[in-house]
Amino acid sequence: MNLITLTIDGVLVRVPEGSSVVAAFSLSGQDICRYSVTRQPRTAFCGMGICQECRVTINGQRRLACQTLCQPGMCVERSLNGSFTV
């Protein structure tokens, strides 16, 4: 199994090649994608891009973590400080 390295919120994470970004969250032990406006933690819900709960910033662009495969050197930022903007 080939491992690739990416950055999640500034922390280096190694995951199997072919993993989705949301799988990388789970493998890193941090399933939370963002917080709701009432500060409730949100994780990926549907895993197929319908619920929009896993929107994160990947290499500077807003994307769905469940629909994006990890790439070497990828930079993923979650909205865990409540400063999420669309």
Side-chain angles (χ1 to χ4, degrees):
M1 166 181 7
N2 292 332
L3 296 177
I4 59 173
T5 303
L6 63 145
T7 303
I8 299 175
D9 296 332
V11 176
L12 290 176
V13 177
R14 295 187 76 189
V15 298
E17 189 174 34
S19 298
S20 68
V21 172
V22 78
F25 291 161
S26 182
L27 291 169
S28 71
Q30 299 283 330
D31 286 347
I32 299 171
C33 297
R34 64 183 180 93
Y35 286 106
S36 71
V37 293
T38 59
R39 304 291 302 155
Q40 299 299 310
R42 298 290 189 193
T43 62
F45 180 71
C46 71
M48 56 187 178
I50 294 173
C51 73
Q52 307 286 309
E53 292 294 332
C54 64
R55 286 177 288 169
V56 295
T57 303
I58 299 173
N59 294 337
Q61 297 186 345
R62 297 296 292 172
R63 297 187 147 196
L64 296 175
C66 70
Q67 296 294 303
T68 306
L69 293 179
C70 294
Q71 300 294 323
M74 178 181 272
C75 181
V76 181
E77 298 172 36
R78 297 177 287 184
S79 299
L80 301 183
N81 62 3
S83 62
F84 173 76
T85 56
V86 176

